[in-house]
mmCIF file of all heavy atoms in Angstrom:
data_model
loop_
_atom_site.group_PDB
_atom_site.id
_atom_site.type_symbol
_atom_site.label_atom_id
_atom_site.label_comp_id
_atom_site.label_asym_id
_atom_site.label_seq_id
_atom_site.Cartn_x
_atom_site.Cartn_y
_atom_site.Cartn_z
ATOM 1 N N ILE A 108 -86.530 84.751 -28.309
ATOM 2 C CA ILE A 108 -85.137 85.126 -28.702
ATOM 3 C C ILE A 108 -84.644 86.047 -27.532
ATOM 4 O O ILE A 108 -83.447 85.954 -27.107
ATOM 5 C CB ILE A 108 -85.124 86.046 -29.948
ATOM 6 C CG1 ILE A 108 -85.749 85.220 -31.083
ATOM 7 C CG2 ILE A 108 -83.762 86.578 -30.294
ATOM 8 C CD1 ILE A 108 -86.042 86.077 -32.398
ATOM 9 N N ILE A 109 -85.452 86.946 -27.040
ATOM 10 C CA ILE A 109 -85.071 87.803 -25.923
ATOM 11 C C ILE A 109 -84.792 87.064 -24.645
ATOM 12 O O ILE A 109 -83.779 87.151 -24.087
ATOM 13 C CB ILE A 109 -86.136 88.904 -25.744
ATOM 14 C CG1 ILE A 109 -86.609 89.499 -27.017
ATOM 15 C CG2 ILE A 109 -85.666 89.862 -24.707
ATOM 16 C CD1 ILE A 109 -85.941 90.697 -27.502
ATOM 17 N N LEU A 110 -85.823 86.212 -24.318
ATOM 18 C CA LEU A 110 -85.737 85.552 -22.986
ATOM 19 C C LEU A 110 -84.551 84.609 -22.896
ATOM 20 O O LEU A 110 -84.061 84.362 -21.797
ATOM 21 C CB LEU A 110 -87.041 84.872 -22.634
ATOM 22 C CG LEU A 110 -88.280 85.848 -22.391
ATOM 23 C CD1 LEU A 110 -89.548 84.983 -22.001
ATOM 24 C CD2 LEU A 110 -87.989 86.894 -21.464
ATOM 25 N N SER A 111 -84.178 84.088 -24.013
ATOM 26 C CA SER A 111 -83.044 83.110 -23.960
ATOM 27 C C SER A 111 -81.736 83.773 -23.776
ATOM 28 O O SER A 111 -80.708 83.092 -23.640
ATOM 29 C CB SER A 111 -83.040 82.177 -25.099
ATOM 30 O OG SER A 111 -83.019 82.936 -26.305
ATOM 31 N N HIS A 112 -81.761 85.117 -23.769
ATOM 32 C CA HIS A 112 -80.412 85.815 -23.631
ATOM 33 C C HIS A 112 -80.399 86.639 -22.377
ATOM 34 O O HIS A 112 -79.396 87.186 -21.973
ATOM 35 C CB HIS A 112 -80.087 86.800 -24.791
ATOM 36 C CG HIS A 112 -79.715 86.103 -25.969
ATOM 37 N ND1 HIS A 112 -80.656 85.507 -26.910
ATOM 38 C CD2 HIS A 112 -78.583 85.658 -26.427
ATOM 39 C CE1 HIS A 112 -80.001 84.881 -27.963
ATOM 40 N NE2 HIS A 112 -78.743 84.988 -27.715
ATOM 41 N N VAL A 113 -81.505 86.811 -21.692
ATOM 42 C CA VAL A 113 -81.546 87.705 -20.475
ATOM 43 C C VAL A 113 -81.060 87.081 -19.251
ATOM 44 O O VAL A 113 -81.072 85.822 -19.215
ATOM 45 C CB VAL A 113 -82.943 88.361 -20.239
ATOM 46 C CG1 VAL A 113 -83.343 89.215 -21.402
ATOM 47 C CG2 VAL A 113 -84.007 87.270 -19.936
ATOM 48 N N SER A 114 -80.778 87.850 -18.215
ATOM 49 C CA SER A 114 -80.292 87.214 -17.008
ATOM 50 C C SER A 114 -81.545 86.879 -16.148
ATOM 51 O O SER A 114 -82.692 87.206 -16.484
ATOM 52 C CB SER A 114 -79.522 88.321 -16.218
ATOM 53 O OG SER A 114 -80.374 89.231 -15.659
ATOM 54 N N GLU A 115 -81.313 86.206 -15.026
ATOM 55 C CA GLU A 115 -82.467 85.710 -14.156
ATOM 56 C C GLU A 115 -83.240 86.820 -13.610
ATOM 57 O O GLU A 115 -84.333 86.796 -13.230
ATOM 58 C CB GLU A 115 -81.867 84.975 -12.960
ATOM 59 C CG GLU A 115 -81.278 83.719 -13.370
ATOM 60 C CD GLU A 115 -80.832 82.910 -12.077
ATOM 61 O OE1 GLU A 115 -81.193 83.305 -11.003
ATOM 62 O OE2 GLU A 115 -80.094 81.954 -12.271
ATOM 63 N N ASN A 116 -82.572 87.995 -13.579
ATOM 64 C CA ASN A 116 -83.222 89.215 -12.959
ATOM 65 C C ASN A 116 -84.087 89.954 -13.979
ATOM 66 O O ASN A 116 -84.190 91.124 -13.938
ATOM 67 C CB ASN A 116 -82.167 90.155 -12.426
ATOM 68 C CG ASN A 116 -81.400 89.577 -11.347
ATOM 69 O OD1 ASN A 116 -81.872 88.808 -10.545
ATOM 70 N ND2 ASN A 116 -80.094 90.050 -11.174
ATOM 71 N N THR A 117 -84.745 89.197 -14.816
ATOM 72 C CA THR A 117 -85.719 89.831 -15.740
ATOM 73 C C THR A 117 -87.043 89.352 -15.424
ATOM 74 O O THR A 117 -87.299 88.191 -15.160
ATOM 75 C CB THR A 117 -85.312 89.401 -17.271
ATOM 76 O OG1 THR A 117 -83.913 89.817 -17.416
ATOM 77 C CG2 THR A 117 -86.123 90.107 -18.281
ATOM 78 N N HIS A 118 -88.056 90.260 -15.643
ATOM 79 C CA HIS A 118 -89.377 89.897 -15.418
ATOM 80 C C HIS A 118 -90.026 90.052 -16.803
ATOM 81 O O HIS A 118 -89.820 91.034 -17.615
ATOM 82 C CB HIS A 118 -89.965 90.970 -14.502
ATOM 83 C CG HIS A 118 -91.121 90.443 -13.698
ATOM 84 N ND1 HIS A 118 -91.056 90.257 -12.389
ATOM 85 C CD2 HIS A 118 -92.390 90.148 -14.000
ATOM 86 C CE1 HIS A 118 -92.188 89.800 -11.903
ATOM 87 N NE2 HIS A 118 -92.989 89.720 -12.887
ATOM 88 N N TYR A 119 -90.982 89.124 -17.144
ATOM 89 C CA TYR A 119 -91.724 89.229 -18.440
ATOM 90 C C TYR A 119 -93.167 89.280 -18.091
ATOM 91 O O TYR A 119 -93.709 88.522 -17.327
ATOM 92 C CB TYR A 119 -91.425 87.988 -19.195
ATOM 93 C CG TYR A 119 -92.270 87.910 -20.459
ATOM 94 C CD1 TYR A 119 -92.293 88.908 -21.447
ATOM 95 C CD2 TYR A 119 -93.183 86.841 -20.768
ATOM 96 C CE1 TYR A 119 -93.023 88.813 -22.598
ATOM 97 C CE2 TYR A 119 -93.893 86.684 -21.928
ATOM 98 C CZ TYR A 119 -93.873 87.756 -22.761
ATOM 99 O OH TYR A 119 -94.655 87.675 -23.866
ATOM 100 N N ALA A 120 -93.873 90.307 -18.673
ATOM 101 C CA ALA A 120 -95.297 90.524 -18.560
ATOM 102 C C ALA A 120 -95.911 90.463 -19.924
ATOM 103 O O ALA A 120 -95.461 91.179 -20.819
ATOM 104 C CB ALA A 120 -95.660 91.753 -17.821
ATOM 105 N N ALA A 121 -96.879 89.528 -20.105
ATOM 106 C CA ALA A 121 -97.538 89.348 -21.514
ATOM 107 C C ALA A 121 -98.951 89.903 -21.366
ATOM 108 O O ALA A 121 -99.707 89.524 -20.476
ATOM 109 C CB ALA A 121 -97.470 87.947 -21.863
ATOM 110 N N ILE A 122 -99.254 90.887 -22.215
ATOM 111 C CA ILE A 122 -100.629 91.409 -22.232
ATOM 112 C C ILE A 122 -101.418 90.808 -23.400
ATOM 113 O O ILE A 122 -100.895 90.915 -24.555
ATOM 114 C CB ILE A 122 -100.622 92.934 -22.432
ATOM 115 C CG1 ILE A 122 -99.691 93.588 -21.325
ATOM 116 C CG2 ILE A 122 -102.012 93.534 -22.327
ATOM 117 C CD1 ILE A 122 -99.515 95.120 -21.515
ATOM 118 N N ASP A 123 -102.495 90.283 -23.107
ATOM 119 C CA ASP A 123 -103.337 89.759 -24.219
ATOM 120 C C ASP A 123 -104.860 89.790 -23.792
ATOM 121 O O ASP A 123 -105.159 89.755 -22.561
ATOM 122 C CB ASP A 123 -102.981 88.362 -24.747
ATOM 123 C CG ASP A 123 -103.303 88.157 -26.183
ATOM 124 O OD1 ASP A 123 -104.499 88.001 -26.482
ATOM 125 O OD2 ASP A 123 -102.375 88.181 -26.999
ATOM 126 N N ILE A 124 -105.730 90.023 -24.834
ATOM 127 C CA ILE A 124 -107.163 90.080 -24.473
ATOM 128 C C ILE A 124 -107.818 88.692 -24.278
ATOM 129 O O ILE A 124 -108.763 88.589 -23.562
ATOM 130 C CB ILE A 124 -107.883 90.951 -25.577
ATOM 131 C CG1 ILE A 124 -109.212 91.412 -25.122
ATOM 132 C CG2 ILE A 124 -107.939 90.102 -26.895
ATOM 133 C CD1 ILE A 124 -109.788 92.524 -25.828
ATOM 134 N N SER A 125 -107.181 87.671 -24.889
ATOM 135 C CA SER A 125 -107.778 86.396 -24.858
ATOM 136 C C SER A 125 -107.222 85.480 -23.659
ATOM 137 O O SER A 125 -106.116 85.015 -23.678
ATOM 138 C CB SER A 125 -107.586 85.639 -26.208
ATOM 139 O OG SER A 125 -107.568 84.267 -26.037
ATOM 140 N N LYS A 126 -107.975 85.401 -22.544
ATOM 141 C CA LYS A 126 -107.502 85.012 -21.308
ATOM 142 C C LYS A 126 -106.968 83.444 -21.402
ATOM 143 O O LYS A 126 -105.899 83.194 -20.877
ATOM 144 C CB LYS A 126 -108.610 85.074 -20.265
ATOM 145 C CG LYS A 126 -108.178 84.755 -18.911
ATOM 146 C CD LYS A 126 -109.217 85.335 -17.897
ATOM 147 C CE LYS A 126 -109.330 84.558 -16.582
ATOM 148 N NZ LYS A 126 -110.507 85.118 -15.746
ATOM 149 N N LYS A 127 -107.758 82.578 -21.990
ATOM 150 C CA LYS A 127 -107.459 81.285 -22.081
ATOM 151 C C LYS A 127 -106.089 81.084 -22.841
ATOM 152 O O LYS A 127 -105.270 80.362 -22.302
ATOM 153 C CB LYS A 127 -108.635 80.567 -22.896
ATOM 154 C CG LYS A 127 -108.461 79.018 -22.926
ATOM 155 C CD LYS A 127 -109.789 78.399 -23.413
ATOM 156 C CE LYS A 127 -109.530 76.881 -23.796
ATOM 157 N NZ LYS A 127 -109.014 76.817 -25.198
ATOM 158 N N PHE A 128 -106.082 81.637 -23.990
ATOM 159 C CA PHE A 128 -104.877 81.605 -24.744
ATOM 160 C C PHE A 128 -103.599 82.185 -24.021
ATOM 161 O O PHE A 128 -102.533 81.650 -24.084
ATOM 162 C CB PHE A 128 -105.090 82.338 -26.111
ATOM 163 C CG PHE A 128 -104.206 82.094 -27.216
ATOM 164 C CD1 PHE A 128 -103.981 80.889 -27.664
ATOM 165 C CD2 PHE A 128 -103.510 83.173 -27.801
ATOM 166 C CE1 PHE A 128 -103.094 80.527 -28.577
ATOM 167 C CE2 PHE A 128 -102.584 82.820 -28.795
ATOM 168 C CZ PHE A 128 -102.385 81.604 -29.236
ATOM 169 N N LEU A 129 -103.872 83.247 -23.422
ATOM 170 C CA LEU A 129 -102.854 84.014 -22.651
ATOM 171 C C LEU A 129 -102.205 83.081 -21.547
ATOM 172 O O LEU A 129 -101.022 82.972 -21.413
ATOM 173 C CB LEU A 129 -103.364 85.199 -22.007
ATOM 174 C CG LEU A 129 -102.464 86.028 -21.148
ATOM 175 C CD1 LEU A 129 -101.393 86.682 -21.838
ATOM 176 C CD2 LEU A 129 -103.275 87.177 -20.459
ATOM 177 N N ILE A 130 -103.173 82.420 -20.822
ATOM 178 C CA ILE A 130 -102.664 81.522 -19.694
ATOM 179 C C ILE A 130 -101.927 80.359 -20.293
ATOM 180 O O ILE A 130 -100.753 80.086 -19.837
ATOM 181 C CB ILE A 130 -103.941 81.061 -18.884
ATOM 182 C CG1 ILE A 130 -104.525 82.326 -18.140
ATOM 183 C CG2 ILE A 130 -103.456 80.037 -17.871
ATOM 184 C CD1 ILE A 130 -105.733 81.986 -17.399
ATOM 185 N N GLU A 131 -102.461 79.789 -21.324
ATOM 186 C CA GLU A 131 -101.740 78.651 -21.981
ATOM 187 C C GLU A 131 -100.422 78.943 -22.517
ATOM 188 O O GLU A 131 -99.450 78.285 -22.132
ATOM 189 C CB GLU A 131 -102.565 78.223 -23.175
ATOM 190 C CG GLU A 131 -103.746 77.197 -22.835
ATOM 191 C CD GLU A 131 -104.639 76.965 -24.033
ATOM 192 O OE1 GLU A 131 -104.187 77.216 -25.195
ATOM 193 O OE2 GLU A 131 -105.818 76.523 -23.865
ATOM 194 N N SER A 132 -100.264 80.137 -23.115
ATOM 195 C CA SER A 132 -99.016 80.422 -23.770
ATOM 196 C C SER A 132 -97.971 80.885 -22.759
ATOM 197 O O SER A 132 -96.769 80.554 -22.882
ATOM 198 C CB SER A 132 -99.086 81.403 -24.956
ATOM 199 O OG SER A 132 -99.677 82.595 -24.505
ATOM 200 N N THR A 133 -98.403 81.564 -21.657
ATOM 201 C CA THR A 133 -97.467 82.002 -20.631
ATOM 202 C C THR A 133 -97.004 80.877 -19.765
ATOM 203 O O THR A 133 -95.862 80.771 -19.373
ATOM 204 C CB THR A 133 -97.957 83.139 -19.762
ATOM 205 O OG1 THR A 133 -99.362 82.902 -19.343
ATOM 206 C CG2 THR A 133 -97.984 84.466 -20.525
ATOM 207 N N GLN A 134 -97.920 79.900 -19.570
ATOM 208 C CA GLN A 134 -97.549 78.693 -18.817
ATOM 209 C C GLN A 134 -96.539 77.844 -19.528
ATOM 210 O O GLN A 134 -95.591 77.276 -18.965
ATOM 211 C CB GLN A 134 -98.752 77.900 -18.307
ATOM 212 C CG GLN A 134 -99.548 78.636 -17.240
ATOM 213 C CD GLN A 134 -100.696 77.840 -16.674
ATOM 214 O OE1 GLN A 134 -101.361 77.069 -17.353
ATOM 215 N NE2 GLN A 134 -100.910 77.912 -15.400
#
Side-chain angles (χ1 to χ4, degrees):
I108 302 173
I109 315 269
L110 295 186
S111 55
H112 287 88
V113 296
S114 74
E115 292 183 14
N116 295 330
T117 302
H118 209 109
Y119 172 61
I122 305 172
D123 210 283
I124 196 161
S125 156
K126 189 162 151 185
K127 183 169 169 276
F128 195 56
L129 173 69
I130 294 173
E131 278 169 19
S132 57
T133 45
Q134 286 188 325

